[in-house]
Amino acid sequence: MSIFLCVLDLFIVNIAIPSIKNSLHATTAETQFIIVFYIIGYGAFLITGSKIGNKYGPKKTFITSMFCFMLFSFFCGSSDSALGLNLSRLFQGISAAFMVPQGVVLISDIFKIEEERVKALGIYGAIAGIASVIGQVLGGIIPDLKFSFPAWRLVFFINIPIAVLVIMLAWKYVKEVEIKTKESIQVFPQMILIALLITLIYEIVISGEEGWTLVGILLLISSLGGLIIFILNQKNKFKNGKEVLINMQPFMYTSFKIALLAAVTYYLVQDSYFFINANFFEEHHYFSSTKTGLLFACQGIGYVLASLLSVKFLNKYQGKFIVFGLIVMILGLMGHIYTVNALTVNLSLVMIILFFYGIGCGIVLPSMFTNAMRKLPVSITSIATGVYLTIQQISIGLGVSLVGRLYFSFNNGYFIATVMMIVLLLITIIIFLFSGYKLKR
């Protein structure tokens, strides 16, 4: 439920933005920050959230951060101004960053055998994708409902009963993981890392919305360079046996390093797809938010069916299975070019293509995360999750920025952006094919 609520709240708001903007009389910049602040809070604090879980225990951290997520969801839904909503969204994202890594640790502690752990992590990854689909559908439907108050508030209030139930069940049934090594909280290095990540994520997301400026490019390069120097410094300290903020043990596993590289190219596509297609449906074909949400439900059905089956096949075929899913996605994108990009939309055909693309996503998305974590011992899954999800968020933001810029910059932008996504997925396939060769050697 940690990953479900976290992902749900990103996608449900994406589709509900126009209704929120009109209700709060917000400017375009203010509505952009509703998404940006959540991503910044989430992406910048994931590694810190992992460290806190290792120090105080994943169960306590999970329950506390779930309560905070619920609290700030209430503040989001109760906001009467764009400023209040944006501040609440920032802290909601931070709460999610502390909440999500604990789920992986608890799952890894319960399932000691690798085959069973792969199945559990596969379900975990599938739930993340299901949440994205449900979020888009609800984000389209909820704002159009008629109540005595603006219906978009339910987008946030829906989290409250779920969180209450999860807290009660977790308190009663979830066992605490034994903390074998107490980790100290290094405040100064953490503040440096958070500042670098906030700057990097902010510039990536904002530049994607408003265009790249010289100042933005310089800030992006500076923050990225600072982040590289910071990681190299941590690596050097780790080699010398000194205490570090980022535990480098996950990087000793070749499978994890390859999974991170593949994650970069794949997540450049994942959310870019939803971003440009939602915009194209509503702005080019003039579909309502509800109609757009329901169309994405076709993609969601394909995703759910494939993700539930992927748990079985990943254990047996591993990287080959992911490559197969990537090929299905590429064929689905080719179908988009000839259906969604057509002057007149054949809804039946578009629904079939979306369903087909969803099958590819349902194979790849859960399998990517599971493949990254499958070989790691329980003791380092928390920090590995923080690193993986941080890379994921940076890649998502960069993908939306770059692919979105292609989409908006050309008359045939949808075609160009879709071709770019196909190229990125082909690169991901090459990474997995190369990794299979390397691991055999």
Side-chain angles (χ1 to χ4, degrees):
M1 294 310 297
S2 61
I3 193 67
F4 178 83
L5 287 175
C6 173
V7 175
L8 178 77
D9 260 58
L10 179 60
F11 281 89
I12 199 170
V13 173
N14 277 342
I15 308 298
I17 281 290
S19 298
I20 297 173
K21 180 180 179 180
N22 294 332
S23 176
L24 297 181
H25 306 290
T27 64
T28 301
E30 286 173 332
T31 54
Q32 288 172 351
F33 284 123
I34 296 172
I35 298 171
V36 171
F37 277 13
Y38 184 83
I39 294 174
I40 287 174
Y42 179 56
F45 282 84
L46 275 164
I47 293 175
T48 303
S50 303
K51 295 281 287 187
I52 293 292
N54 285 342
K55 181 175 176 62
Y56 296 105
K59 178 179 177 178
K60 293 176 184 176
T61 308
F62 173 75
I63 291 174
T64 303
S65 53
M66 177 67 75
F67 176 81
C68 292
F69 188 87
M70 177 185 70
L71 183 64
F72 288 111
S73 294
F74 172 78
F75 290 151
C76 286
S78 304
S79 297
D80 290 323
S81 68
L83 176 61
L85 176 56
N86 285 329
L87 289 175
S88 298
R89 282 286 283 174
L90 174 64
F91 286 102
Q92 192 189 34
I94 293 172
S95 301
F98 283 81
M99 180 173 72
V100 169
Q102 317 317 321
V104 181
V105 179
L106 292 166
I107 288 171
S108 299
D109 183 68
I110 293 167
F111 298 95
K112 306 292 186 183
I113 302 171
E114 182 184 329
E115 184 176 343
E116 294 299 316
R117 187 165 62 250
V118 168
K119 289 180 181 178
L121 290 172
I123 294 170
Y124 179 90
I127 288 172
I130 291 168
S132 69
V133 175
I134 292 175
Q136 289 177 93
V137 175
L138 292 180
I141 294 173
I142 288 177
D144 287 343
L145 299 176
K146 302 299 180 183
F147 291 99
S148 58
F149 58 90
W152 64 263
R153 297 186 185 278
L154 294 176
V155 162
F156 301 106
F157 288 151
I158 197 174
N159 297 330
I160 297 173
I162 298 173
V164 169
L165 180 61
V166 171
I167 290 170
M168 292 170 61
L169 292 174
W171 186 275
K172 184 175 182 179
Y173 292 109
V174 174
K175 295 180 180 180
E176 184 60 274
V177 176
E178 182 184 354
I179 307 171
K180 296 180 180 178
T181 55
K182 289 276 187 178
E183 294 198 44
S184 64
I185 304 301
Q186 300 171 290
V187 177
F188 185 65
Q190 284 189 341
M191 295 306 294
I192 292 175
L193 178 62
I194 289 168
L196 289 169
L197 286 172
I198 286 175
T199 305
L200 180 64
I201 295 170
Y202 176 86
E203 285 303 325
I204 286 173
V205 177
I206 287 299
S207 296
E209 295 287 346
E210 300 180 354
W212 293 89
T213 64
L214 179 60
V215 174
I217 292 172
L218 290 175
L219 283 172
L220 185 68
I221 293 172
S222 300
S223 57
L224 186 59
L227 196 58
I228 292 171
I229 293 170
F230 181 88
I231 293 171
L232 290 175
N233 177 260
Q234 291 283 298
K235 183 179 179 181
N236 185 53
K237 286 184 176 180
F238 182 77
K239 280 185 177 180
N240 295 327
K242 296 181 180 179
E243 195 171 31
V244 292
L245 174 65
I246 303 177
N247 189 327
M248 292 293 166
Q249 275 186 279
F251 295 95
M252 296 170 65
Y253 293 80
T254 303
S255 59
F256 182 74
K257 290 187 287 187
I258 291 170
L260 275 187
L261 182 61
V264 171
T265 53
Y266 175 76
Y267 284 108
L268 287 171
V269 173
Q270 177 64 29
D271 285 33
S272 303
Y273 167 82
F274 292 112
F275 175 72
I276 68 167
N277 277 282
N279 184 278
F280 199 68
F281 281 138
E282 295 184 22
E283 298 296 328
H284 184 82
H285 292 303
Y286 307 106
F287 291 173
S288 67
S289 61
T290 298
K291 190 173 183 178
T292 300
L294 291 174
L295 270 176
F296 279 125
C298 299
Q299 192 264 355
I301 293 169
Y303 180 95
V304 172
L305 292 175
S307 62
L308 294 176
L309 292 173
S310 69
V311 177
K312 178 181 179 181
F313 293 104
L314 180 62
N315 260 323
K316 186 174 181 180
Y317 299 105
Q318 299 184 31
K320 293 179 182 177
F321 184 60
I322 298 176
V323 169
F324 171 72
L326 289 167
I327 292 172
V328 173
M329 290 179 68
I330 289 171
L331 293 174
L333 288 175
M334 290 178 176
H336 279 65
I337 292 174
Y338 292 102
T339 57
V340 178
N341 196 39
L343 291 176
T344 304
V345 173
N346 183 327
L347 280 178
S348 298
L349 193 55
V350 168
M351 290 166 69
I352 293 171
I353 292 296
L354 287 172
F355 175 79
F356 187 77
Y357 182 82
I359 290 175
C361 286
I363 293 171
V364 177
L365 185 57
S367 302
M368 290 278 287
F369 180 77
T370 306
N371 193 57
M373 299 295 156
R374 63 182 298 158
K375 297 290 184 182
L376 304 182
V378 176
S379 59
I380 60 174
T381 52
S382 178
I383 191 65
T385 301
V387 171
Y388 183 92
L389 293 177
T390 301
I391 294 296
Q392 178 195 78
Q393 290 304 304
I394 292 172
S395 301
I396 286 172
L398 186 59
V400 171
S401 177
L402 295 179
V403 178
R405 189 50 40 194
L406 289 174
Y407 171 70
F408 287 113
S409 297
F410 298 93
N411 291 330
N412 58 341
Y414 183 85
F415 172 80
I416 294 172
T418 304
V419 169
M420 174 56 72
M421 290 190 288
I422 291 172
V423 171
L424 289 168
L425 292 179
L426 285 171
I427 294 172
T428 310
I429 288 175
I430 292 170
I431 292 170
F432 275 107
L433 293 176
F434 174 76
S435 70
Y437 168 76
K438 187 174 182 180
L439 289 172
K440 284 179 183 178
R441 293 187 65 190

